[in-house]
Amino acid sequence: MKGRAAFTVLGFILLSFTSLCYGDLQVGFYKKKCGFKEVELMVRKVITAQFYNDSTIVAALLRLHFHDCFVRGCDASILLDGNSTEKNAPPNFSVRGFDLIDQAKALVEGACPGLVSCADIIAIAARDAVYLAGGGWYNVETGRRDGLVSLASEVDLPAPSFSVSQAIAAFGRKGLNTTDMVLLLGGHTVGVTHCSLLQDRLYNFQNTGKPDPTMDTFLASILRSKCPQNAAKDNTVNLDQNPESTDVVDKSYYKQLMIKRGILQIDQELALDPQTNATVMSLATGYKFSAQFGQAMVKMGAIEVLTGTQEPKVDLESGQAWPPPAANGEPEIEIGWSRNRSSFTATASLKDLKLKLHHLGHPLIK
């Protein structure tokens, strides 16, 4: 009885969160819902202030949004703290931008408590960053609910070494087509990658003992000087090798691919594979990248979203995520919003359930 009562309380708390968001995704979801304040303007204020201090947040926020949407959909589950959450999966070790989302969330909470989801803030922040870096403006659909489950074991992102066919399949599983994939990889127009992801292309491509023949030889020589074999430090190199465009969201990335100056293997293969080379050429030579990139970002931002009164994917009888994670011993999930006063954390197991809700600055259950 005691255990069932505890889960009844959990059910009440989870159901109470469904009232925070209502309806499907739409542009202007929060319009006139925060008094005289505009939610998107408040988020933009935070992102703009940080951008002029550190323009690398553009790539960071794009990556944060992508990594969130590709696991359980765009539900901010990547923000949740815990030993076994998405944050602690190896592909997410170098993801940044959490502090910016926290800052924006705190500002919005101060104006309209309990209204705006972290998932929407991530999407808005990514759009604002793109625009500040010279990309086109696009309207963000909002109305997402935050997820309550985050599992490192579910993080399975497309790898830099994927073939085009493998990447098409991975994006296809998320409802994105080949053109969407080529456009979203255009996010590599900003940001850096680590030398460890280039070693095979520079020194031993596909175990040939030679560099990747599809890379420009002059570029390969430069990169080998920046990325020596067996280096003690894992250096970084720009994903867009046009020095005048490394911090600008534009079509330069595709132009570099056309002259064999792609950095990651998947990037260069886009220009070589017959499934994608026509799209790359069109983007490199045309004038539609900004508009089309925005459209692809909107489409990605709608992946598997929670809206309205959809239930979180949690089995209230067992306290386990569904489908249950593969783990030895007692099933347990850890869920929670991160570090500021809007945090929600919970640990649930068959033997023990501990709930701690910090919402609007006060605990409801201790």
Side-chain angles (χ1 to χ4, degrees), residues 60-82 84-89 91-99 101-102 118-119 122 146-152 154-155 157 336-339:
L61 289 171
L62 281 172
R63 189 173 181 222
L64 175 65
H65 193 21
F66 178 84
H67 282 222
D68 179 47
C69 290
F70 264 63
V71 182
R72 287 189 168 265
C74 308
D75 65 350
S77 54
I78 195 171
L79 302 183
L80 307 189
D81 292 319
S84 58
T85 62
E86 292 170 33
K87 271 187 183 179
N88 286 293
N92 291 333
F93 286 165
S94 58
V95 170
R96 298 186 296 120
F98 302 113
D99 56 336
I101 303 304
D102 279 349
C118 292
I122 292 173
D146 289 333
L148 301 178
V149 177
S150 185
L151 299 167
E154 293 185 343
V155 176
L157 300 169
W337 287 320
S338 57
R339 297 177 292 272

Side-chain angles (χ1 to χ4, degrees), residues 295-310:
Q295 293 166 5
M297 289 291 290
V298 170
K299 190 172 179 180
M300 184 187 76
I303 294 175
E304 299 171 21
V305 295
L306 295 170
T307 61
T309 58
Q310 292 171 315

Side-chain angles (χ1 to χ4, degrees), residues 2-304:
K2 183 177 179 181
R4 186 169 294 276
F7 282 111
T8 300
V9 172
L10 174 59
F12 170 78
I13 294 298
L14 294 181
L15 289 172
S16 74
F17 271 90
T18 66
S19 66
L20 300 182
C21 293
Y22 22 83
D24 295 327
L25 294 186
Q26 57 185 278
V27 174
F29 178 83
Y30 297 111
K31 197 80 172 177
K32 298 182 180 179
K33 292 181 182 178
C34 189
F36 294 105
K37 300 283 189 178
E38 287 292 340
V39 169
E40 293 192 25
L41 286 176
M42 287 188 281
V43 175
R44 195 176 312 152
K45 178 180 178 180
V46 172
I47 304 307
T48 301
Q50 184 60 29
F51 172 80
Y52 287 112
N53 182 55
D54 176 15
S55 63
T56 68
I57 66 160
V58 179
L61 289 171
L62 281 172
R63 189 173 181 222
L64 175 65
H65 193 21
F66 178 84
H67 282 222
D68 179 47
C69 290
F70 264 63
V71 182
R72 287 189 168 265
C74 308
D75 65 350
S77 54
I78 195 171
L79 302 183
L80 307 189
D81 292 319
N83 293 332
S84 58
T85 62
E86 292 170 33
K87 271 187 183 179
N88 286 293
N92 291 333
F93 286 165
S94 58
V95 170
R96 298 186 296 120
F98 302 113
D99 56 336
L100 270 180
I101 303 304
D102 279 349
Q103 289 176 38
K105 175 67 171 174
L107 183 63
V108 171
E109 283 292 305
C112 37
L115 176 68
V116 184
S117 69
C118 292
D120 279 341
I121 291 174
I122 292 173
I124 295 167
R127 184 273 312 279
D128 292 343
V130 167
Y131 182 69
L132 287 165
W137 178 266
Y138 59 92
N139 291 320
V140 173
E141 294 179 335
T142 46
R144 299 166 187 79
R145 282 190 25 245
D146 289 333
L148 301 178
V149 177
S150 185
L151 299 167
S153 59
E154 293 185 343
V155 176
D156 183 20
L157 300 169
S161 59
F162 267 19
S163 68
V164 170
S165 293
Q166 287 175 312
I168 289 173
F171 278 72
R173 287 191 288 272
K174 299 301 178 181
L176 301 169
N177 61 35
T178 301
T179 300
D180 297 327
M181 179 198 74
V182 176
L183 285 162
L184 291 170
L185 286 175
H188 290 171
T189 185
V190 290
V192 300
T193 190
H194 286 275
C195 288
S196 56
L197 296 176
L198 308 179
Q199 290 291 312
D200 60 333
R201 295 197 73 200
L202 297 178
Y203 297 102
N204 187 25
F205 184 63
Q206 296 181 350
N207 295 316
T208 61
K210 299 178 181 180
D212 184 348
T214 67
M215 180 181 284
D216 174 76
T217 55
F218 181 65
L219 174 63
S221 177
I222 293 173
L223 292 178
R224 281 193 292 271
S225 68
K226 294 181 178 180
C227 302
Q229 281 185 300
N230 305 314
K233 181 181 178 182
D234 193 5
N235 294 325
T236 59
V237 297
N238 291 324
L239 284 166
D240 184 346
Q241 284 293 303
N242 177 358
E244 298 179 357
S245 184
T246 54
D247 295 323
V248 181
V249 175
D250 61 9
K251 65 181 183 180
S252 172
Y253 162 80
Y254 301 103
K255 289 183 175 181
Q256 295 296 301
L257 301 187
M258 296 298 296
I259 55 175
K260 298 185 178 182
R261 291 174 61 86
I263 297 301
L264 299 176
Q265 183 176 335
I266 181 57
D267 291 338
Q268 190 56 61
E269 288 197 9
L270 292 179
L272 302 173
D273 194 289
Q275 299 174 92
T276 52
N277 61 0
T279 303
V280 170
M281 181 177 294
S282 175
L283 290 167
T285 59
Y287 299 93
K288 296 181 179 180
F289 166 70
S290 290
Q292 291 181 315
F293 182 71
Q295 293 166 5
M297 289 291 290
V298 170
K299 190 172 179 180
M300 184 187 76
I303 294 175
E304 299 171 21

